[in-house]
Amino acid sequence: MPQSVPSFAELLDRATESALHLEMRDSYGVASEAEALARWRETGDVDTDPESPYWSPWTELVRRTVARGVVVRRARIVSEPVSDYIRYEHAGTIVNLAAGEEVRWLARRQASDIPLPGNDFWLIDSRLIRWNHFTGAGASAPGEVSEDPDAARLCTTAFEAVWSRAISHNEYKIN
């Protein structure tokens, strides 16, 4: 039976306490980023305007979520030296911060002893998981939702362990 996967807007609009996002890939091939990533590779320019047509749907969603008192945190586990994609992502993270997200970075070598789920995820209010699936090339694949309490505990524990070791975006320097 096909499972209905809520949009990110639906997930964040339903959140009452927290929305946690763990990213663990060194490269993503998400179609919506392709043009901006290509421009950055050619020119070094990245869109950091929270009100731009590219960013505004996300920043408006995060702002209204944070305005309700929901904490939105994003942690990224990255290999070092970082990939070009991570350099691009790091350059644009100022927009996530401007919207109200808290963002931290953790070197993969510092995560070796943390039990981690096999996929990136969003965890809403410590109970609803939105698994983010990707193809081998990094393209978005259909997501999945779960309210399995054991999986939610794993995600909570993993996220908090990563968060406690990670470095805030403003302090994480890419060499």
Side-chain angles (χ1 to χ4, degrees), residues 7-34:
S7 69
F8 290 110
E10 291 170 317
L11 286 172
L12 293 182
D13 283 341
R14 292 179 196 165
T16 60
E17 296 174 9
S18 63
L20 310 179
H21 187 34
L22 184 61
E23 299 177 353
M24 299 181 283
R25 296 179 57 96
D26 288 318
S27 182
Y28 294 85
V30 178
S32 64
E33 294 179 333

Side-chain angles (χ1 to χ4, degrees), residues 28-42 54 85 88:
Y28 294 85
V30 178
S32 64
E33 294 179 333
E35 186 179 314
L37 179 58
R39 183 175 48 256
W40 173 81
R41 284 188 170 132
E42 285 180 25
Y54 177 80
Y85 180 87
Y88 161 76

Side-chain angles (χ1 to χ4, degrees), residues 23-29 77-78 83 85-86 89 108 120 134-139:
E23 299 177 353
M24 299 181 283
R25 296 179 57 96
D26 288 318
S27 182
Y28 294 85
I77 299 173
V78 297
S83 67
Y85 180 87
I86 295 300
E89 191 173 54
R108 189 172 311 283
D120 290 11
F134 298 92
T135 67

Side-chain angles (χ1 to χ4, degrees), residues 51-83:
E51 309 312 320
S52 73
Y54 177 80
W55 281 109
S56 64
W58 182 251
T59 58
E60 290 170 13
L61 172 61
V62 172
R63 285 177 179 149
R64 77 173 177 255
T65 302
V66 171
R68 292 192 327 271
V70 176
V71 176
V72 180
R73 294 188 289 164
R74 180 185 303 255
R76 294 174 170 146
I77 299 173
V78 297
S79 299
E80 293 179 329
V82 299
S83 67

Side-chain angles (χ1 to χ4, degrees), residues 3 5 8 21-22 25 28-30 117-122 129-136 138-146:
Q3 182 184 34
V5 177
F8 290 110
H21 187 34
L22 184 61
R25 296 179 57 96
Y28 294 85
V30 178
N119 295 289
D120 290 11
F121 64 85
W122 277 91
I129 306 159
R130 201 264 193 209
W131 298 111
N132 295 338
H133 298 298
F134 298 92
T135 67
S140 290
E144 181 181 2
V145 293
S146 171

